[in-house]
Amino acid sequence: MTQQNVVVSDTKSGVSLTVFSTTQKPPAAPGGYISIPRRRVLKNLEINGGQRINAWVESMRASSPTHHKSTPSLSQEHNSWILHHPSALDMFDQIIDASKGKQIVMFLDYDGTLSPIVDDPDRAFMSDSMRKTVRKLARCFPTAIVTGRCKDKVYNFVRLAELYYAGSHGMDIKGPTRSSKYNKDSKAEAILCQPASDFLPMIDEVYQQLVEKTKSTPGALVENNKFCLSVHFRCVDEKKWSELARQVKSVLKEYPKLRLTQGRKVLEIRPTIKWDKGKALEFLLESLGLANCSDVFPVYIGDDRSDEDAFKKLRDRGQGFGILVSKFPKDTSASYSLQEPNEVMNFLQRLVEWKHVSLRARS
């Protein structure tokens, strides 16, 4: 990474971004907007299209799998799914073989990947052992946290200055503030990328309206993630989901430049710019000087629907792979799977151990 300003343009999306140090003013937001296809109901919910509320609720259920009773048919489905998305722990040796001679770059979601999913999002703490593992990982490979959370909030959870952080689904990116072997030239000057900065007043306005509108629904929680909003319904009685959907829709119908997507028991509201976790992954590779390298091996680990954009980006690039964290079969573009954060930690620990062994073998 250099200390100069670098303009990164994406002709397909119409988005231009500037990499700059923390002492400079953020760039203006890009002007490109995305269309939301009707066929993708389970990913992007229509706000002004007259879609029935019960379709919203069905989509909310589909995006929030719960524990199922074990039946022969479900076991068969799971076994079939595992054949196509085998455990990254079981396939570790094959993964390492594919990465040999290449620069591994790690991209990690936070909630449900590095920390367990909890009822109160403000208490999604990562364990000390996970933090220790991620610190060791960052000493071996360039490492980024890519999350729907506010960047500053997830930094307070992780507290590792040597990482890259991409908050708000990649719309708020900051580089390491502590020098490491992968950012020595930057002299701790952090890169910044904020492609949705013009939306901040709108996001704040919608946040206030949603807080007011949803306060009558017990358990509903609206979280301001700076460049996007999250309406958590994990603690809302399922009988109240229709009511919550109506409340959210009544606010968003006045804001056509915002779109609504879903995660695990959460509704996500974000700008309709052509930006997602996949774009953030590309931006970070560009910042590392690895975007056009044939010997780069990106690994993205995540559990949520928004991580699919990054999984698909890796498939399109034909480099590296995605790992989905899930106990249940899901449609995914990830190549491998892990069941829970403890398995993620085990996988990361094995990567670190392999790196140490390979370095000793060279010396």
Side-chain angles (χ1 to χ4, degrees), residues 90-108:
D90 293 342
M91 302 297 289
F92 186 81
D93 290 341
Q94 290 90 327
I95 291 169
I96 291 303
D97 286 343
S99 72
K100 283 183 178 177
K102 300 177 181 179
Q103 173 63 64
I104 294 175
V105 184
M106 298 300 300
F107 298 90
L108 308 169

Side-chain angles (χ1 to χ4, degrees), residues 314-328:
L314 292 180
R315 281 195 178 272
D316 291 344
R317 291 175 63 91
Q319 292 179 315
F321 56 84
I323 301 176
L324 177 68
V325 184
S326 178
K327 292 183 178 181
F328 307 105

Side-chain angles (χ1 to χ4, degrees), residues 177-190:
T177 55
R178 179 180 298 161
S179 179
S180 73
K181 62 186 290 187
Y182 301 108
N183 66 326
K184 288 179 180 177
D185 292 338
S186 68
K187 296 182 180 178
E189 285 188 291

Side-chain angles (χ1 to χ4, degrees), residues 133-164:
T133 298
V134 174
R135 180 183 289 114
K136 290 180 178 179
L137 183 76
R139 291 172 182 165
C140 298
F141 316 103
T143 301
I145 307 293
V146 186
T147 175
R149 294 277 201 145
C150 169
K151 169 176 60 61
D152 294 337
K153 183 176 290 186
V154 82
Y155 179 82
N156 288 334
F157 282 138
V158 178
R159 301 196 308 276
L160 294 174
E162 55 267 48
L163 306 184
Y164 293 81

Side-chain angles (χ1 to χ4, degrees), residues 108 110 113-116 125-139 157-160 341-350 352-353:
L108 308 169
Y110 183 74
T113 299
L114 299 181
S115 73
F125 304 117
M126 70 189 304
S127 66
D128 290 340
S129 55
M130 180 67 88
R131 181 176 295 102
K132 182 178 179 180
T133 298
V134 174
R135 180 183 289 114
K136 290 180 178 179
L137 183 76
R139 291 172 182 165
F157 282 138
V158 178
R159 301 196 308 276
L160 294 174
N342 277 340
E343 287 199 353
V344 173
M345 184 168 65
N346 290 341
F347 178 80
L348 299 181
Q349 287 171 343
R350 288 187 67 179
V352 170
E353 291 166 4

